[in-house]
Amino acid sequence: MKVAFCYSSKKFLIDDIPKPQINGDEILVKVMACGICGSDIKKIFDDKVKKPIVLGHEVAGDVVEIGSNVKDFKIGNRVVVTHHVPCCNCQYCKHENYSMCRQFKSTNIYPGGFSQFIRVPKENVSVGTLKIDKKVSYEEASFSEPLACCLYSLGKINLFLRDFVVIIGLGTIGLLFYQLIKMNKAIPIGIDIDENRVDFAKKFGFDFALNPNKENITEEILNITKGIGADLVILTAVNKKILNQSLSYIRDGGKIIIFAGAIKKEIAKININELYRREISIIGSYSSSPKHLSRALKLISHGDIDVKSLTTRRFPLEEIEKSVELIVNRKAYKIIIEPWS
Ligand SMILES: [Zn+2]
Ligand SMILES: [Zn+2]
């Protein structure tokens, strides 16, 4: 089968390797669509991530082989598969820190989504694999994973009617957050340094979309929120400057969600007394859980979340290098890799 090995940001090699063998508790899935995630891009550029590596975890496809003990799936089922699954029993899981669960960190699909087939281990078969409704395309279903991550992070806070939510970064994740925040009847304020993305966000429906290179966003956000500041800030793009600046427009008692890792390992200086006196919470949110994956797939299947307008391009495995370049240069929102095209 064909697999895309990543050697570096500028070098992917398509190789032929044997199709994975499955045991009695596993299934084999033919990958029909796999989205390129921001975290894939970070891994591509991170020298600490061992290469070559097969990336890709936003997977949708067909069940083509099943182990003799597998009861819940049949050959031909269309499914989404999540790569990490928690045990749902440990101290982390009890507190809903599912992505901190040690099993979560150790489970994975093999060899990765940028491949024609993947082996799905027992743990992932039991809670991390969901059947897709007939009317939902593979491509739409592959958005379940990123949407689940957004749901997971919003699960960490209480959003009230007409709360002001600042979304930093108007890429795919920013546009998914926008829709969830609107569903909660709160008010999103989008921020991006890329004018094209600011324009697209306005067309997408944002009442407020600002470019920090053109506007004083602290002043604008304070104006919009009548001097109080934003209730919640979601950082889908983050560095120390962005983090510190968010303290200037968040309201007292507000919450900041760190949704993505910083590209460079950065140390931010933060005024501890400001966090204390102003009761600011900074919350990390990493990945998602099966519960959120299932909610995400339902929202997509019911048409409550529009993912169709977020796919910019579809490419075969052979064009993954070009796809990465398009994403890095912000020339595309979501790119879907189709290993069988
Ligand atoms: Zn992802
Ligand atoms: Zn656990």
Side-chain angles (χ1 to χ4, degrees):
M1 66 169 185
K2 278 194 290 180
V3 176
F5 282 102
C6 168
Y7 284 80
S8 74
S9 63
K10 292 199 171 57
K11 193 175 162 204
F12 278 82
L13 282 184
I14 308 301
D15 210 347
D16 236 312
I17 65 165
K19 207 163 79 172
Q21 302 278 326
I22 57 162
N23 69 28
D25 299 310
E26 299 176 331
I27 61 176
L28 189 75
V29 170
K30 178 179 179 184
V31 180
M32 300 305 289
C34 182
I36 301 182
C37 176
S39 68
D40 291 322
I41 303 286
K42 287 211 177 76
K43 283 182 193 143
I44 291 169
F45 284 90
D46 187 344
D47 296 335
K48 298 234 160 56
V49 174
K50 261 182 88 185
K51 313 270 182 350
I53 185 174
V54 182
L55 294 162
H57 57 266
E58 302 178 353
V59 176
D62 294 328
V63 176
V64 287
E65 282 176 34
I66 50 168
S68 51
N69 306 326
V70 175
K71 301 276 172 281
D72 295 336
F73 296 96
K74 288 193 303 226
I75 288 175
N77 281 153
R78 300 165 73 242
V79 290
V80 288
V81 182
T82 185
H83 54 322
H84 302 315
V85 287
C87 74
C88 299
N89 273 318
C90 68
Q91 186 70 0
Y92 302 107
C93 288
K94 201 161 80 189
H95 287 271
E96 302 204 349
N97 302 122
Y98 296 111
S99 53
M100 298 299 110
C101 169
R102 293 322 186 235
Q103 178 187 296
F104 187 94
K105 292 174 189 291
S106 66
T107 43
N108 213 338
I109 51 176
Y110 174 83
F114 301 137
S115 167
Q116 288 189 311
F117 294 98
I118 51 166
R119 170 162 54 84
V120 184
K122 181 184 180 183
E123 295 81 5
N124 302 57
V125 172
S126 59
V127 288
T129 304
L130 303 172
K131 286 174 200 147
I132 308 171
D133 201 279
K134 272 196 243 52
K135 59 179 196 296
V136 180
S137 68
Y138 295 110
E139 184 179 304
E140 289 169 273
S142 72
F143 277 87
S144 305
E145 198 274 340
L147 184 61
C149 297
C150 300
L151 288 167
Y152 180 63
S153 59
L154 290 179
K156 294 177 186 292
I157 52 107
N158 283 321
L159 206 54
F160 290 91
L161 216 62
R162 303 198 58 75
D163 271 359
F164 288 100
V165 182
V166 171
I167 303 169
I168 303 287
L170 299 174
T172 310
I173 293 291
L175 298 170
L176 289 175
F177 267 121
Y178 163 80
Q179 299 183 64
L180 293 174
I181 285 153
K182 287 293 257 193
M183 276 174 69
N184 280 282
K185 308 249 179 325
I187 304 162
I189 303 169
I191 313 281
D192 203 295
I193 48 171
D194 183 330
E195 195 57 18
N196 293 328
R197 297 215 155 172
V198 171
D199 284 344
F200 185 79
K202 285 179 185 158
K203 280 183 214 127
F204 203 74
F206 273 84
D207 292 321
F208 308 102
L210 310 166
N211 181 343
N213 291 340
K214 291 174 91 183
E215 287 144 308
N216 180 330
I217 61 164
T218 298
E219 259 171 34
E220 293 292 330
I221 293 168
L222 290 175
N223 270 337
I224 294 166
T225 59
K226 304 202 166 56
I228 292 178
D231 300 282
L232 172 66
V233 179
I234 302 171
L235 305 176
T236 81
V238 63
N239 57 34
K240 56 188 174 190
K241 189 174 152 218
I242 293 173
L243 178 60
N244 262 304
Q245 192 179 29
S246 66
L247 295 174
S248 70
Y249 55 73
I250 193 164
R251 72 160 165 82
D252 294 350
K255 294 185 167 62
I256 299 167
I257 292 177
I258 300 186
F259 183 85
I263 300 247
K264 296 186 209 121
K265 289 224 164 69
E266 284 187 83
I267 311 290
K269 263 198 209 158
I270 292 208
N271 182 337
I272 294 171
N273 285 345
E274 188 177 357
L275 298 186
Y276 166 62
R277 292 210 185 90
R278 296 185 56 210
E279 287 196 343
I280 306 290
S281 312
I282 300 179
I283 303 164
S285 183
Y286 165 71
S287 202
S288 71
S289 81
K291 186 167 89 179
H292 297 93
L293 187 78
S294 149
R295 264 192 69 203
L297 183 59
K298 273 191 196 125
L299 288 171
I300 293 169
S301 309
H302 295 164
D304 295 328
I305 295 287
D306 165 29
V307 292
K308 269 191 194 145
S309 13
L310 306 183
T311 303
T312 322
R313 308 282 286 273
R314 296 162 197 82
F315 286 111
L317 273 181
E318 288 77 3
E319 293 192 61
I320 194 160
E321 219 171 276
K322 174 174 156 191
S323 311
V324 168
E325 204 181 301
L326 285 171
I327 295 176
V328 171
N329 295 327
R330 303 164 71 88
K331 295 264 159 55
Y333 285 85
K334 180 60 86 184
I335 290 184
I336 304 285
I337 297 294
E338 296 176 323
W340 291 92
S341 64

